[in-house]
Amino acid sequence: MTIGATATRIPIWRNVRVIAWAFQLVVFSIVAIIVYWLVGNYRVNTASSGIPTNFDFLDNPARFSIPGSPFDGNQAVRAAFGVGILNTLRISVVGIVMATVIGILVGIGRLSTNWVVNKLSVVYVEVVRNLPLLVILVFVFLGVVLQALPRIENAWRPLGLVVVSNRGIGVPWYQSGSGSLLVLIGMMGIGGWWVLARWRRSVSERTGELARSGPIGSAFFLLAIVLGWFLLGLQVSLPRVDGRTIAGGIRVDPSYFAVLIALVIYTASHIAEIVRGSIQAVSRGQGEAAKALALSPFQRMWNVILPQAMRVAIPPLGNQYLNLIKNSSLGAGFAYFELTNVAQITVGNGSPAVPAFTLALLFYVVISLVTSAVVNLANRRFALVER
Amino acid sequence: MAHPGAIRIVAPPAKGIAQLLWSDSPYNSGGELRKTLIFLGAMCVALAACTQTAETTTTAAGNGAVAPSGVLLADVQSRDSLNCGTRDALPGFAVLTEAGEHVGFDSDFCRVIAAAVLGDATKVNHVDLETADRFTALQSGQVDVLVRNTTWTATRDGSEGATFLQPTFYDGQGMMVASDSGFASVSDLDGVVVCVAKGTTSEGNAANEAARLGLSWEIRPYDDTDLIQEAFLQGACDGWTSDVSQLTGLRSAYPDGAEALTILPEVFSKEPLAPAVRDGDTGWAQAVNWAILATIQAEEYGITSGNVDDELGSTEDIGIKGFLGGEFEVEGAMTRVDPGIGLPVDFAYQVVKQVGNYGEIFERHLVPLGLSRGVNSLWTDGGLLYAPPYR
């Protein structure tokens, strides 16, 4: 090679960047050829058997009903997909919240010095983490919901408020009417809680007294709800057994209940391990310093250790949330009408398979991407910026 | 047309690349780059060749309005095995026994088709399918024929891309309840939970029936009949709806005994159960159709697996002889009947000898369940089974 001729331009065929581009082009064309071949094959095969490949099936009548929702068989398939997505979101949101709470408690419990709490947490995490979710789901559905819960004729009625049976769990609810206003009041209550918390924190920083924003804020929220209840004149509707079904109140679908419990049990065990690991990642000095400052164990955990631990824990937690969202699709085998189940049923009723499942895939991708974006946002906000 | 200036631009890089590939340079030490580029080039060429062949075969199939007929028949005969879509746990129709054999009405019809097309009723590959993916398996070619107590409907003919053949069982949809529940008729069922198999016509029919009678049913679809049975045992379902033949089979296998369940008298839809093949291959469809019709025609002629050899040997009836593929005299020359469907000349003989006629198959599997012939008798007995003449 010409050494010392630093002023000459590198010829194009020896330029490393050009070669890299050429390589990229070759790989891209290989992938493009494979995709073109697969798609072409699909189109030709479906054309020869007359199967439609567009999204027109979304306007066909669904011909199946979804229990627990006003959807009936005469509405279009797109409405069924809407209900499916709502159900997936419903179980995901509730599942994520419950799994996080239980996971954090169990994770902390595993580090506890109380022998019983410690051993229980260890057993729970070690057993459940090593079971496949489908096995847990079958067990919860068949063993717990179908067998352990009583038949409708012998339904349990604890305190006369709740009806528990293997056809559903009835819980008291407000009478239908101005329920949306109550939700509005609830949201204003949460806003008030936040404002109160900020005020209490500034007071605490100024005067040094305990903020107690938790108790004060939740008291305000409950007050707002109760006041709103009386002002709007809402009434409670209690559930009761009516023939072979539960009337009144709101009914928790047994499939929803089973899938939720299984998802929460499974994901909480993973979250417990993540939380435990992240707490152990916080240097011991922090805990010892907090102890030296005479902070109570709760204050130590809540104000010193957990905030630092959560920084480490957020990316793997986000992962578990995504897993929970995707695992909700297992509800399809147990009569829970989430997105995968709806797609399977419409395909069984004559909708073309590839477009229907592509639609379901796209929705899962969107839901997962939104969740990842939220988690990344939280991560960036809490991350330690190192200089 | 290449611009003359372009040649001045293209030639040096070409020379340079050639130099790059073959000589030693820092970018090609040990010949790595050369080897990589040659490998990629070879792969590109191979893929292009594959795409060409794939496109020519698939476009040849898709160019005309109809695919070349009889392709699947030739495939099955060259493969020497029939992929038959079935199920594994419906008593009377298709049950996978502990010995690993599929036993049942539908399984026997798989064997009928194999006997006709391949000459050997044992050359069947039973593919167990879930209800929700049976049509996808058929459309994708995973199975050659679907004999899985599937109802013939217009939508399945059309947008599911299936072609339905001679129905093997004319059925209807019914409702099964626990005997001690006190329900005596479908109109007693109000505000109940009805369980059904996912992705079947039963779901839609149940919803229609509830709307028609003004009842409110909560219809829960499950993947698996095992789950429905468990739910029923635990009292989570009040009613189980499906084809009456399926209900009869499931009732006979109920853990608490068949008397614990009652099938209500109302039948609320037409459910002709028929084998199905993929759209687009008329030759295969006709071959399979005639295999099934042979069982019906055999029963009409009175030919059973026991007397088929006698009939072939000693009958004077040219119709029967021709049907079984025997030789008979026409204007001084010996001839056989070969309608040109693509099946061997003696396919009907093989079918009856190795499996039996329709009546024998029905008696073997469905009579023990308690089903009677009803509308599934021959037209000469007032039923719906009528085979076109074999000539």
Side-chain angles (χ1 to χ4, degrees), chain A residues 4-5 7 31 35 44 69 120 151 157 177 214-215 225-226 231 233 261 274 288 290-291 297 326 357 368 374 385:
Chain A
V31 173
V35 170
V44 167
S69 97
L120 274 177
R151 305 169 74 106
R157 315 213 53 216
I225 297 269
V226 170
L231 283 175
I261 297 288
I274 293 171
E288 288 168 355
K291 219 188 243 181
K326 289 179 284 179
F357 280 109
S368 298
V374 170
V385 179

PDB file of all heavy atoms in Angstrom, chain A residues 4-5 7 31 35 44 69 120 151 157 177 214-215 225-226 231 233 261 274 288 290-291 297 326 357 368 374 385:
ATOM      1  N   GLY A   4       2.530   6.997   3.258  1.00  0.00           N
ATOM      2  CA  GLY A   4       3.061   8.348   3.135  1.00  0.00           C
ATOM      3  C   GLY A   4       2.296   9.184   2.123  1.00  0.00           C
ATOM      4  O   GLY A   4       2.424  10.402   2.094  1.00  0.00           O
ATOM      5  N   ALA A   5       1.453   8.519   1.269  1.00  0.00           N
ATOM      6  CA  ALA A   5       0.704   9.321   0.281  1.00  0.00           C
ATOM      7  C   ALA A   5      -0.629   9.726   0.913  1.00  0.00           C
ATOM      8  O   ALA A   5      -1.688   9.362   0.463  1.00  0.00           O
ATOM      9  CB  ALA A   5       0.494   8.504  -0.982  1.00  0.00           C
ATOM     10  N   ALA A   7      -2.128  12.435   0.980  1.00  0.00           N
ATOM     11  CA  ALA A   7      -2.959  13.428   0.304  1.00  0.00           C
ATOM     12  C   ALA A   7      -3.869  12.771  -0.734  1.00  0.00           C
ATOM     13  O   ALA A   7      -4.849  13.372  -1.159  1.00  0.00           O
ATOM     14  CB  ALA A   7      -2.084  14.467  -0.366  1.00  0.00           C
ATOM     15  N   VAL A  31     -33.027 -10.430   2.046  1.00  0.00           N
ATOM     16  CA  VAL A  31     -34.248 -10.405   2.871  1.00  0.00           C
ATOM     17  C   VAL A  31     -35.456 -10.037   2.020  1.00  0.00           C
ATOM     18  O   VAL A  31     -36.534 -10.639   2.130  1.00  0.00           O
ATOM     19  CB  VAL A  31     -34.077  -9.402   4.030  1.00  0.00           C
ATOM     20  CG1 VAL A  31     -35.386  -9.238   4.777  1.00  0.00           C
ATOM     21  CG2 VAL A  31     -33.001  -9.871   4.973  1.00  0.00           C
ATOM     22  N   VAL A  35     -38.861 -12.242   1.499  1.00  0.00           N
ATOM     23  CA  VAL A  35     -40.197 -11.727   1.847  1.00  0.00           C
ATOM     24  C   VAL A  35     -41.090 -11.715   0.611  1.00  0.00           C
ATOM     25  O   VAL A  35     -42.254 -12.122   0.646  1.00  0.00           O
ATOM     26  CB  VAL A  35     -40.088 -10.304   2.442  1.00  0.00           C
ATOM     27  CG1 VAL A  35     -41.454  -9.684   2.564  1.00  0.00           C
ATOM     28  CG2 VAL A  35     -39.400 -10.360   3.783  1.00  0.00           C
ATOM     29  N   VAL A  44     -50.732 -16.152  -4.301  1.00  0.00           N
ATOM     30  CA  VAL A  44     -51.140 -17.088  -5.346  1.00  0.00           C
ATOM     31  C   VAL A  44     -51.984 -18.207  -4.760  1.00  0.00           C
ATOM     32  O   VAL A  44     -53.019 -18.587  -5.321  1.00  0.00           O
ATOM     33  CB  VAL A  44     -49.883 -17.663  -6.052  1.00  0.00           C
ATOM     34  CG1 VAL A  44     -50.252 -18.840  -6.909  1.00  0.00           C
ATOM     35  CG2 VAL A  44     -49.232 -16.586  -6.891  1.00  0.00           C
ATOM     36  N   SER A  69     -70.827  -8.305  28.152  1.00  0.00           N
ATOM     37  CA  SER A  69     -70.787  -7.015  27.471  1.00  0.00           C
ATOM     38  C   SER A  69     -72.015  -6.926  26.592  1.00  0.00           C
ATOM     39  O   SER A  69     -72.598  -7.953  26.231  1.00  0.00           O
ATOM     40  CB  SER A  69     -69.522  -6.894  26.630  1.00  0.00           C
ATOM     41  OG  SER A  69     -69.781  -7.233  25.301  1.00  0.00           O
ATOM     42  N   LEU A 120     -42.023 -18.146  53.899  1.00  0.00           N
ATOM     43  CA  LEU A 120     -43.191 -18.164  53.011  1.00  0.00           C
ATOM     44  C   LEU A 120     -42.856 -17.528  51.667  1.00  0.00           C
ATOM     45  O   LEU A 120     -43.214 -18.036  50.596  1.00  0.00           O
ATOM     46  CB  LEU A 120     -44.350 -17.392  53.658  1.00  0.00           C
ATOM     47  CG  LEU A 120     -45.231 -18.193  54.607  1.00  0.00           C
ATOM     48  CD1 LEU A 120     -46.278 -17.278  55.217  1.00  0.00           C
ATOM     49  CD2 LEU A 120     -45.918 -19.338  53.889  1.00  0.00           C
ATOM     50  N   ARG A 151     -71.017 -24.135  43.820  1.00  0.00           N
ATOM     51  CA  ARG A 151     -72.016 -24.039  42.754  1.00  0.00           C
ATOM     52  C   ARG A 151     -72.994 -22.923  43.082  1.00  0.00           C
ATOM     53  O   ARG A 151     -73.096 -22.499  44.215  1.00  0.00           O
ATOM     54  CB  ARG A 151     -72.769 -25.358  42.640  1.00  0.00           C
ATOM     55  CG  ARG A 151     -71.873 -26.542  42.430  1.00  0.00           C
ATOM     56  CD  ARG A 151     -72.654 -27.825  42.591  1.00  0.00           C
ATOM     57  NE  ARG A 151     -73.505 -28.040  41.430  1.00  0.00           N
ATOM     58  CZ  ARG A 151     -73.263 -28.939  40.493  1.00  0.00           C
ATOM     59  NH1 ARG A 151     -72.187 -29.697  40.578  1.00  0.00           N
ATOM     60  NH2 ARG A 151     -74.084 -29.096  39.475  1.00  0.00           N
ATOM     61  N   ARG A 157     -72.162 -16.285  50.805  1.00  0.00           N
ATOM     62  CA  ARG A 157     -72.606 -14.906  50.887  1.00  0.00           C
ATOM     63  C   ARG A 157     -72.000 -14.246  52.118  1.00  0.00           C
ATOM     64  O   ARG A 157     -72.704 -13.965  53.072  1.00  0.00           O
ATOM     65  CB  ARG A 157     -74.129 -14.838  50.961  1.00  0.00           C
ATOM     66  CG  ARG A 157     -74.813 -15.753  49.966  1.00  0.00           C
ATOM     67  CD  ARG A 157     -76.089 -15.161  49.486  1.00  0.00           C
ATOM     68  NE  ARG A 157     -75.851 -13.828  48.989  1.00  0.00           N
ATOM     69  CZ  ARG A 157     -76.715 -12.825  49.127  1.00  0.00           C
ATOM     70  NH1 ARG A 157     -77.857 -13.024  49.725  1.00  0.00           N
ATOM     71  NH2 ARG A 157     -76.420 -11.631  48.666  1.00  0.00           N
ATOM     72  N   GLY A 177     -76.486   5.047  36.511  1.00  0.00           N
ATOM     73  CA  GLY A 177     -77.093   6.371  36.470  1.00  0.00           C
ATOM     74  C   GLY A 177     -75.971   7.368  36.275  1.00  0.00           C
ATOM     75  O   GLY A 177     -75.335   7.398  35.219  1.00  0.00           O
ATOM     76  N   GLY A 214     -49.475  10.316  52.611  1.00  0.00           N
ATOM     77  CA  GLY A 214     -50.258   9.123  52.297  1.00  0.00           C
ATOM     78  C   GLY A 214     -51.584   9.119  53.030  1.00  0.00           C
ATOM     79  O   GLY A 214     -52.658   9.148  52.423  1.00  0.00           O
ATOM     80  N   PRO A 215     -51.550   9.099  54.362  1.00  0.00           N
ATOM     81  CA  PRO A 215     -52.815   9.098  55.124  1.00  0.00           C
ATOM     82  C   PRO A 215     -53.690  10.307  54.808  1.00  0.00           C
ATOM     83  O   PRO A 215     -54.896  10.171  54.620  1.00  0.00           O
ATOM     84  CB  PRO A 215     -52.358   9.118  56.581  1.00  0.00           C
ATOM     85  CG  PRO A 215     -50.994   8.534  56.553  1.00  0.00           C
ATOM     86  CD  PRO A 215     -50.409   8.906  55.240  1.00  0.00           C
ATOM     87  N   ILE A 225     -65.079  11.034  47.565  1.00  0.00           N
ATOM     88  CA  ILE A 225     -65.976  10.012  47.002  1.00  0.00           C
ATOM     89  C   ILE A 225     -67.284   9.965  47.786  1.00  0.00           C
ATOM     90  O   ILE A 225     -68.375   9.958  47.207  1.00  0.00           O
ATOM     91  CB  ILE A 225     -65.308   8.620  47.038  1.00  0.00           C
ATOM     92  CG1 ILE A 225     -64.069   8.596  46.174  1.00  0.00           C
ATOM     93  CG2 ILE A 225     -66.293   7.559  46.637  1.00  0.00           C
ATOM     94  CD1 ILE A 225     -64.305   8.188  44.767  1.00  0.00           C
ATOM     95  N   VAL A 226     -67.157   9.940  49.121  1.00  0.00           N
ATOM     96  CA  VAL A 226     -68.373   9.815  49.939  1.00  0.00           C
ATOM     97  C   VAL A 226     -69.276  11.040  49.764  1.00  0.00           C
ATOM     98  O   VAL A 226     -70.494  10.918  49.594  1.00  0.00           O
ATOM     99  CB  VAL A 226     -67.981   9.624  51.425  1.00  0.00           C
ATOM    100  CG1 VAL A 226     -69.199   9.747  52.303  1.00  0.00           C
ATOM    101  CG2 VAL A 226     -67.326   8.281  51.612  1.00  0.00           C
ATOM    102  N   LEU A 231     -74.044  13.630  47.450  1.00  0.00           N
ATOM    103  CA  LEU A 231     -74.551  14.745  46.667  1.00  0.00           C
ATOM    104  C   LEU A 231     -75.288  14.261  45.426  1.00  0.00           C
ATOM    105  O   LEU A 231     -76.294  14.815  45.025  1.00  0.00           O
ATOM    106  CB  LEU A 231     -73.383  15.661  46.251  1.00  0.00           C
ATOM    107  CG  LEU A 231     -72.867  16.571  47.368  1.00  0.00           C
ATOM    108  CD1 LEU A 231     -71.650  17.330  46.897  1.00  0.00           C
ATOM    109  CD2 LEU A 231     -73.966  17.552  47.785  1.00  0.00           C
ATOM    110  N   GLY A 233     -76.729  11.464  45.139  1.00  0.00           N
ATOM    111  CA  GLY A 233     -77.857  10.614  45.500  1.00  0.00           C
ATOM    112  C   GLY A 233     -77.759   9.222  44.902  1.00  0.00           C
ATOM    113  O   GLY A 233     -78.767   8.631  44.516  1.00  0.00           O
ATOM    114  N   ILE A 261     -55.968 -13.955  38.355  1.00  0.00           N
ATOM    115  CA  ILE A 261     -55.252 -14.534  39.494  1.00  0.00           C
ATOM    116  C   ILE A 261     -53.991 -15.256  39.024  1.00  0.00           C
ATOM    117  O   ILE A 261     -52.905 -15.086  39.582  1.00  0.00           O
ATOM    118  CB  ILE A 261     -56.163 -15.522  40.250  1.00  0.00           C
ATOM    119  CG1 ILE A 261     -57.364 -14.810  40.827  1.00  0.00           C
ATOM    120  CG2 ILE A 261     -55.389 -16.231  41.336  1.00  0.00           C
ATOM    121  CD1 ILE A 261     -57.051 -13.939  41.983  1.00  0.00           C
ATOM    122  N   ILE A 274     -37.027  -9.584  41.029  1.00  0.00           N
ATOM    123  CA  ILE A 274     -36.406  -8.357  40.523  1.00  0.00           C
ATOM    124  C   ILE A 274     -36.261  -7.342  41.640  1.00  0.00           C
ATOM    125  O   ILE A 274     -35.208  -6.702  41.802  1.00  0.00           O
ATOM    126  CB  ILE A 274     -37.264  -7.768  39.378  1.00  0.00           C
ATOM    127  CG1 ILE A 274     -37.226  -8.700  38.174  1.00  0.00           C
ATOM    128  CG2 ILE A 274     -36.785  -6.387  39.007  1.00  0.00           C
ATOM    129  CD1 ILE A 274     -38.195  -8.301  37.104  1.00  0.00           C
ATOM    130  N   GLU A 288     -27.686   1.364  56.518  1.00  0.00           N
ATOM    131  CA  GLU A 288     -27.082   1.601  57.837  1.00  0.00           C
ATOM    132  C   GLU A 288     -27.166   3.069  58.203  1.00  0.00           C
ATOM    133  O   GLU A 288     -27.437   3.421  59.354  1.00  0.00           O
ATOM    134  CB  GLU A 288     -25.628   1.130  57.822  1.00  0.00           C
ATOM    135  CG  GLU A 288     -25.521  -0.393  57.800  1.00  0.00           C
ATOM    136  CD  GLU A 288     -24.118  -0.877  57.495  1.00  0.00           C
ATOM    137  OE1 GLU A 288     -23.249  -0.017  57.196  1.00  0.00           O
ATOM    138  OE2 GLU A 288     -23.904  -2.096  57.513  1.00  0.00           O
ATOM    139  N   ALA A 290     -29.441   5.151  57.208  1.00  0.00           N
ATOM    140  CA  ALA A 290     -30.837   5.451  57.552  1.00  0.00           C
ATOM    141  C   ALA A 290     -31.138   4.992  58.972  1.00  0.00           C
ATOM    142  O   ALA A 290     -31.838   5.656  59.732  1.00  0.00           O
ATOM    143  CB  ALA A 290     -31.770   4.776  56.548  1.00  0.00           C
ATOM    144  N   LYS A 291     -30.599   3.816  59.323  1.00  0.00           N
ATOM    145  CA  LYS A 291     -30.802   3.320  60.698  1.00  0.00           C
ATOM    146  C   LYS A 291     -30.162   4.255  61.696  1.00  0.00           C
ATOM    147  O   LYS A 291     -30.716   4.546  62.756  1.00  0.00           O
ATOM    148  CB  LYS A 291     -30.175   1.923  60.803  1.00  0.00           C
ATOM    149  CG  LYS A 291     -30.982   0.948  61.634  1.00  0.00           C
ATOM    150  CD  LYS A 291     -30.227  -0.334  61.858  1.00  0.00           C
ATOM    151  CE  LYS A 291     -30.955  -1.490  61.224  1.00  0.00           C
ATOM    152  NZ  LYS A 291     -30.286  -2.768  61.411  1.00  0.00           N
ATOM    153  N   PRO A 297     -38.331   1.385  60.312  1.00  0.00           N
ATOM    154  CA  PRO A 297     -38.120   0.473  59.184  1.00  0.00           C
ATOM    155  C   PRO A 297     -38.926   0.873  57.958  1.00  0.00           C
ATOM    156  O   PRO A 297     -38.427   0.838  56.835  1.00  0.00           O
ATOM    157  CB  PRO A 297     -38.583  -0.883  59.738  1.00  0.00           C
ATOM    158  CG  PRO A 297     -38.388  -0.772  61.194  1.00  0.00           C
ATOM    159  CD  PRO A 297     -38.626   0.661  61.557  1.00  0.00           C
ATOM    160  N   LYS A 326     -48.644  -9.871  27.073  1.00  0.00           N
ATOM    161  CA  LYS A 326     -48.680 -10.920  26.069  1.00  0.00           C
ATOM    162  C   LYS A 326     -49.244 -12.214  26.632  1.00  0.00           C
ATOM    163  O   LYS A 326     -49.924 -12.955  25.934  1.00  0.00           O
ATOM    164  CB  LYS A 326     -47.276 -11.138  25.502  1.00  0.00           C
ATOM    165  CG  LYS A 326     -46.839  -9.981  24.620  1.00  0.00           C
ATOM    166  CD  LYS A 326     -45.458 -10.176  24.069  1.00  0.00           C
ATOM    167  CE  LYS A 326     -44.430  -9.915  25.139  1.00  0.00           C
ATOM    168  NZ  LYS A 326     -43.048 -10.107  24.650  1.00  0.00           N
ATOM    169  N   PHE A 357     -55.400 -12.481  12.082  1.00  0.00           N
ATOM    170  CA  PHE A 357     -54.318 -12.579  13.062  1.00  0.00           C
ATOM    171  C   PHE A 357     -53.285 -11.489  12.875  1.00  0.00           C
ATOM    172  O   PHE A 357     -52.637 -11.086  13.840  1.00  0.00           O
ATOM    173  CB  PHE A 357     -53.686 -13.975  13.011  1.00  0.00           C
ATOM    174  CG  PHE A 357     -54.504 -14.989  13.748  1.00  0.00           C
ATOM    175  CD1 PHE A 357     -55.208 -15.964  13.060  1.00  0.00           C
ATOM    176  CD2 PHE A 357     -54.605 -14.949  15.122  1.00  0.00           C
ATOM    177  CE1 PHE A 357     -55.981 -16.879  13.732  1.00  0.00           C
ATOM    178  CE2 PHE A 357     -55.375 -15.862  15.805  1.00  0.00           C
ATOM    179  CZ  PHE A 357     -56.067 -16.830  15.118  1.00  0.00           C
ATOM    180  N   SER A 368     -47.802  -3.067  23.264  1.00  0.00           N
ATOM    181  CA  SER A 368     -46.492  -3.286  23.878  1.00  0.00           C
ATOM    182  C   SER A 368     -45.573  -2.094  23.684  1.00  0.00           C
ATOM    183  O   SER A 368     -44.839  -1.703  24.597  1.00  0.00           O
ATOM    184  CB  SER A 368     -45.839  -4.534  23.274  1.00  0.00           C
ATOM    185  OG  SER A 368     -46.618  -5.657  23.543  1.00  0.00           O
ATOM    186  N   VAL A 374     -43.720   4.153  27.879  1.00  0.00           N
ATOM    187  CA  VAL A 374     -43.981   4.686  29.221  1.00  0.00           C
ATOM    188  C   VAL A 374     -42.874   4.266  30.185  1.00  0.00           C
ATOM    189  O   VAL A 374     -42.366   5.064  30.977  1.00  0.00           O
ATOM    190  CB  VAL A 374     -45.359   4.201  29.719  1.00  0.00           C
ATOM    191  CG1 VAL A 374     -45.543   4.530  31.184  1.00  0.00           C
ATOM    192  CG2 VAL A 374     -46.456   4.828  28.890  1.00  0.00           C
ATOM    193  N   VAL A 385     -27.995  10.487  36.519  1.00  0.00           N
ATOM    194  CA  VAL A 385     -27.172  11.026  35.442  1.00  0.00           C
ATOM    195  C   VAL A 385     -25.739  11.090  35.938  1.00  0.00           C
ATOM    196  O   VAL A 385     -25.433  11.810  36.897  1.00  0.00           O
ATOM    197  CB  VAL A 385     -27.665  12.434  35.057  1.00  0.00           C
ATOM    198  CG1 VAL A 385     -26.799  12.997  33.958  1.00  0.00           C
ATOM    199  CG2 VAL A 385     -29.113  12.365  34.615  1.00  0.00           C
TER     200      VAL A 385
END
